[in-house]
């Protein structure tokens, strides 16, 4: 884990021109895609309303739905496991691999497995995981973590990818031309095809758990999930407990808003529908395990941030967030980034001085809530974290004192008047001193005036002027 | 206490407001499901055509593939057709191996989204789409559903198969510089042939 | 409508201190709409504390504001941010059992952001408003907390000769965010830089908004960059002061 805190990571990101370019490109791409999908879908807002209600119902009914899912999945021949935390989930996963003598794993992109840091654990148990989502494969080769929940390598250019492939695929002709994206995609296709067909175990996440049939639903655009779930003899799915919905009617609506909000597609290129293991003559793994992961979710369900569990991981809040698009995903210090990550990370890692930065680093512009397909009130959930942080005494002493003093002054008319009067005097003096504009302020004003020139205030406040007028 | 009891116990400790059940989404079905399917598929980089008799399939496939590809994997139920008359050499689906092109019937399709459905229950499983560079999907008109929900209900029967693979257009990725590239892992090209 | 049409004007701390002329322009517009302006003794609406996680402190501040404003049928706030605090957040700021909850809701239901008020009560003709090309910046709170979008544009069309020019990503935050730009200045500055670049690229002569916070941020940064684009509050733009 990194030693920098959020501010340090953000500063580093802001000074990386290559990253800035990548983020600008991605921002436009995703926001335009969603806007286009919305524009061509007359029922989009109605679908959002229904998806919102479906996900809220799923939270309210979660224990019942999970039991139903477990019963139906078990009846279909799958084995369902429950993991209270990351360590549990990792141990269950490696235990299954060992029991089946599996040493070569292929994986489809799964934020749950990023969350529990499964890959390092697998390696330490002699199981080699190969990520198969192209973006995830690239960052795995680079030893990085995903910087976006649906576009893990969004921070990289094609030249960086080419460099990475040259370093990793040493068996290929060093003189080959991989300067174009198409060539890179093709090279990964060939390399990963070998891995798919050689693997003993496929490890996936889950986008939706359908309680009525005990089914796992996954989405991808590359088709790598279908291969991961069908090519090896053993399949393990790791799913956050909040992924459960009641019925296929519910799942259908969630899929419709998910694809449109994530990539601007009406339907993801591949939707993989998995119910139990292969039976009889069926193609596919003969053994199927599902690990239901809690890792802080049931605690989240009990508090005032329960609505976060409605999240369907589309990434729209990242793509429309001015903070995310300025600093990128790595600044958030965990697998989840942007507004959803700022709510989830403190829940998973605990609220500390550093993780408390995440809910604080928001201008509360509200765009995340405006684009969220399931209308999660993200700014309000961030605010609740700020309240928790404030109650825990995490803000700096300066901030707490400042707020206390402001409260005391602002509720006493004479004190408020005196404050405004002296602030105006002070700022006018500074402005005069600095040549007619406020160019440098100390303390809290330092950051603001580092890049701004502010015209000085009038000598008399509005309230003073108004009293004078009457 | 088991993790299961712990998790369920924690979840049951909080009462949440329960919204009313949500009405299922049932968009108005287009009059011609086949035409809608083809139009939607074309919108996501697939190609589509319709033939009036299954006997015309080899000729249609030959036209689609062009002169460069003459050998292709043909699903068992289509092998009886006159492939050599169309200048093609049919091969048995090779199982889990790469193929240049593959022709196989799908078990369903979704008009709303231009989606093809493959299943683990077929002897060739999902491989015609996932392991062939070109996937030629034979879509009997009678198997086209209006929506995903309808398709799943139709295919569920007593038990859903191990896997349903809903493929909408060719495999694609935007993972490098958010620029669309086709053929990441699955089919690079998808061609629908609607049949009676 | 009552005979004595009275409107309370809550100018916000930032206007009170930094740009009292915005308050004066707002008052004149409200008067031109046929209302008598009353300025109750004002403090802070509580938003800084509320956004910093100090809910108790915010309640203290809100109680003072509620007590000062509740005698009035119509309350006008020339800021989407403070207006949004009152309209959107006062109703849930107090526990349901707290007697202040109903008072907060009552006040919230009577608060109008300035352009909302003027759209309902068009001012009589007066001095010509701002001219030239303007980039209209929706403040996030106006746009998303209050749903204000068409009102300022319609007012600018009917009351000024200004030409509204489009600019890229005009729904994106300018990076002010109150204490956000104090606590995370580098991040806020990147967001502001992008906003300023979009405004400069639009060819506008001035940037107009209904929130002074955004304007100090955007205008201050434009000034530092040496741009001649003026940052003008909608009240001044409409009242013809700018």
């Amino acid at each position: 884990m990194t030693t920098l805190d959020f501010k340090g990571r953000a500063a580093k990101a802001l000074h990386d021109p290559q990253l800035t370019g990548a983020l600008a490109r991605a921002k436009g791409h995703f926001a335009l895609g969603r806007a286009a999908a919305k524009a061509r879908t007359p029922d989009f807002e109605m679908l959002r309303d229904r998806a919102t209600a479906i996900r809220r119902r799923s939270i309210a009914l979660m224990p019942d739905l999970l039991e139903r899912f477990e019963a139906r999945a078990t009846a279909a021949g799958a084995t369902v496991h429950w993991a209270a935390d990351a360590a549990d989930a990792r141990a269950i996963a490696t235990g299954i691999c060992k029991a089946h003598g599996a040493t070569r794993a292929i994986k489809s992109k799964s934020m749950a497995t990023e969350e529990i840091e499964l890959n390092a654990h697998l390696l330490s148990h002699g199981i080699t995981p190969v990520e198969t989502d192209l973006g995830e494969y690239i960052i795995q080769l680079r030893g990085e973590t995903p910087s976006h929940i649906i576009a893990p390598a969004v921070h990289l250019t094609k030249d960086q990818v080419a460099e990475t492939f040259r370093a990793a695929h040493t068996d290929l002709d060093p003189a080959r031309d991989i300067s174009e994206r198409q060539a890179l995609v093709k090279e990964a296709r060939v390399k990963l095809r070998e891995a798919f067909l050689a693997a003993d175990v496929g490890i996936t996440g889950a986008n939706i758990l359908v309680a009525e049939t005990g089914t796992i639903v996954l989405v991808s655009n590359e088709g790598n999930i279908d291969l991961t779930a069908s090519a090896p003899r053993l399949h393990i799915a790791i799913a956050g407990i909040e992924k459960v919905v009641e019925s296929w009617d519910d799942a259908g609506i969630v899929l419709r808003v998910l694809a449109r909000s994530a990539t601007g597609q009406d339907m993801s290129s591949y939707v993989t529908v998995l119910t139990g293991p292969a039976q009889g003559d069926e193609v596919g793994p003969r053994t199927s395990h599902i690990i239901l992961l809690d890792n802080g979710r049931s605690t989240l369900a009990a508090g005032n941030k329960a609505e976060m569990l409605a999240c369907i991981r589309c990434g729209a809040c990242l793509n429309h967030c001015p903070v995310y698009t300025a600093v990128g995903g790595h600044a958030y210090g965990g697998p989840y980034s942007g507004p959803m990550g700022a709510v989830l990370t403190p829940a998973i890692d605990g609220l500390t001085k550093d993780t408390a930065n995440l809910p604080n680093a928001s201008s509360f512009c509200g765009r995340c809530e405006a684009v969220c397909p399931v209308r999660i009130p993200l700014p309000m959930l961030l605010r609740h974290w700020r309240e928790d942080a404030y109650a825990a005494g995490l803000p700096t002493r300066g901030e707490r004192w400042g707020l206390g003093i402001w409260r005391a002054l602002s509720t006493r008319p004479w004190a408020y008047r005196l404050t405004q009067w002296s602030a105006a005097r002070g700022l006018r003096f500074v402005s005069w001193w600095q040549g007619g504009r406020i160019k440098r302020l100390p303390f809290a004003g330092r950051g603001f005036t580092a890049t701004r020139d502010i015209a000085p205030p009038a000598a008399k406040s509005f309230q003073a002027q108004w009293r004078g007028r009457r | 206490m088991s993790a299961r009891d712990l998790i369920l116990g924690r979840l049951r400790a909080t009462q949440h407001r329960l919204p009313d059940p949500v009405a299922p989404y049932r968009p108005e079905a287009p009059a011609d499901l086949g035409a809608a399917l083809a139009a939607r598929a074309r919108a996501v980089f697939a190609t589509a055509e319709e033939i009036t008799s299954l006997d015309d399939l080899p000729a249609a496939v030959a036209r689609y593939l062009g002169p460069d590809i003459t050998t292709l994997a043909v699903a068992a139920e289509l092998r009886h057709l006159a492939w050599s008359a169309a200048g093609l050499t049919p091969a048995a689906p090779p199982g889990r191996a790469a193929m240049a092109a593959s022709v196989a019937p799908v078990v369903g399709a979704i008009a709303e989204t231009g989606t093809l459905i493959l299943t683990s229950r077929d002897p060739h499983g999902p491989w015609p789409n996932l392991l062939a560079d070109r996937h030629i999907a034979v879509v009997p008109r009678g198997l086209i559903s209006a929506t995903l929900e309808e398709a799943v209900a139709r295919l569920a029967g007593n038990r859903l198969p191990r896997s349903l693979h809903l493929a909408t257009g060719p495999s694609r990725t935007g993972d490098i510089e958010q620029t669309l590239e086709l053929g990441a892992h699955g089919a690079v090209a998808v061609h629908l042939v609607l049949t009676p | 409508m009552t005979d004595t049409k009275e409107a309370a004007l809550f100018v916000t701390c930032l206007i009170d201190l930094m740009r009292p002329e915005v308050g004066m322009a707002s008052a004149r517009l409200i008067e031109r709409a046929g209302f008598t302006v009353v300025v109750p003794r004002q403090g802070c609406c509580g938003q800084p504390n509320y956004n910093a996680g100090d809910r108790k402190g915010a309640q203290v501040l809100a109680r003072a504001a509620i007590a000062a404003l509740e005698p009035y049928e119509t309350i006008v706030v020339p800021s989407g941010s403070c207006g949004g605090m009152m309209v959107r957040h006062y109703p849930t700021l107090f526990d349901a059992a707290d007697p202040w909850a109903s008072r907060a809701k009552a006040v919230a239901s009577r608060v109008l952001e300035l352009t909302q008020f003027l759209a309902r009560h068009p001012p009589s003709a007066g001095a010509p408003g701002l001219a030239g090309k303007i980039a209209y910046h929706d403040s996030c709170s106006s746009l998303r907390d209050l749903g204000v979008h068409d009102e300022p544009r319609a007012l600018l069309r009917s009351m000024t000769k200004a030409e509204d020019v489009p600019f890229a990503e005009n729904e994106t935050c300018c990076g002010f965010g109150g204490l956000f730009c104090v606590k995370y200045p580098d991040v806020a500055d990147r967001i502001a830089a992008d906003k300023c670049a979009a405004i400069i690229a639009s060819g506008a002569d001035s940037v107009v908004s209904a929130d002074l916070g955004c304007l100090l941020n955007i205008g201050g940064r434009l000034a530092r960059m040496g741009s001649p684009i003026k940052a003008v509050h909608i009240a001044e733009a409409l009242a013809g002061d700018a």
Side-chain angles (χ1 to χ4, degrees), chain B residues 14-184:
Chain B
T14 312
Q15 281 294 313
H16 293 278
R17 195 182 61 82
L18 181 64
D20 292 334
V22 175
Y25 183 63
R26 297 283 182 266
E28 202 182 319
D32 183 344
L33 289 177
L37 174 75
R40 297 302 305 141
R42 288 191 188 106
V44 287
F45 311 105
T47 49
E49 67 178 296
E50 176 149 20
I51 54 177
T52 49
S53 158
L54 195 58
D55 294 335
D56 299 339
L57 183 65
V61 170
R63 262 197 317 277
Y64 169 69
L65 290 177
D68 294 346
I69 303 175
T70 53
T71 303
L72 79 165
V74 178
E77 54 268 58
L78 299 173
R79 209 112 14 99
H80 67 277
L81 297 171
W83 294 100
S84 50
L88 294 169
T89 311
R96 299 186 342 158
M99 39 198 134
S102 139
V103 57
V106 293
V107 293
I110 303 169
E112 183 190 347
T113 48
T115 302
L116 302 169
I117 307 178
L118 294 87
T119 169
S120 56
R121 281 200 187 133
D122 270 341
H124 49 73
W127 309 137
N129 179 280
L130 296 175
L131 297 180
D133 291 345
R134 288 159 176 252
H135 175 208
I136 301 158
V138 176
V139 187
R141 270 185 166 265
L143 297 184
I144 306 171
S145 303
T147 62
L148 166 80
E149 291 84 344
E150 215 178 273
V152 170
R154 186 186 286 200
L155 292 165
N158 294 329
R159 171 185 170 273
L160 278 162
R162 148 65 189 172
S163 57
L164 291 174
H165 304 266
L166 282 52
T168 307
S171 161
R172 58 196 259 180
T173 182
D175 273 353
I176 304 176
E177 299 183 337
Q178 281 63 63
T179 304
L180 183 74
E181 296 290 344
L182 299 182

Side-chain angles (χ1 to χ4, degrees), chain A residues 18-104:
Chain A
Q18 186 275 115
L19 175 64
T20 299
L23 289 168
R25 183 184 59 231
K27 168 170 74 170
H29 169 79
F30 284 117
L32 288 173
R34 178 190 175 274
K38 177 181 148 98
R40 67 169 183 266
T41 311
D43 289 340
F44 188 61
E45 294 303 318
M46 179 251 268
L47 287 165
R48 280 179 76 191
D49 289 338
R50 292 194 190 173
T52 301
I54 286 165
R55 294 300 295 141
R56 298 307 183 285
R57 263 181 80 78
S58 304
I59 297 170
L61 297 171
M62 202 187 300
D64 298 349
L65 295 182
L66 286 169
E67 283 185 322
R68 199 177 311 162
F69 173 84
E70 179 187 37
R72 305 283 157 85
T74 307
T79 308
V80 177
H81 309 259
W82 301 71
D85 56 28
D88 268 13
R90 288 190 296 254
I92 295 168
T94 44
I96 297 166
C97 291
K98 283 184 176 170
H100 288 84
T103 57
R104 290 163 301 181

Side-chain angles (χ1 to χ4, degrees), chain A residues 335-358:
Chain A
Y336 303 109
S337 52
M340 57 83 74
V343 178
L344 278 178
T345 302
I348 294 166
D349 292 353
L351 186 63
T352 64
K353 253 196 157 51
D354 186 23
T355 59
N357 272 305
L358 306 180

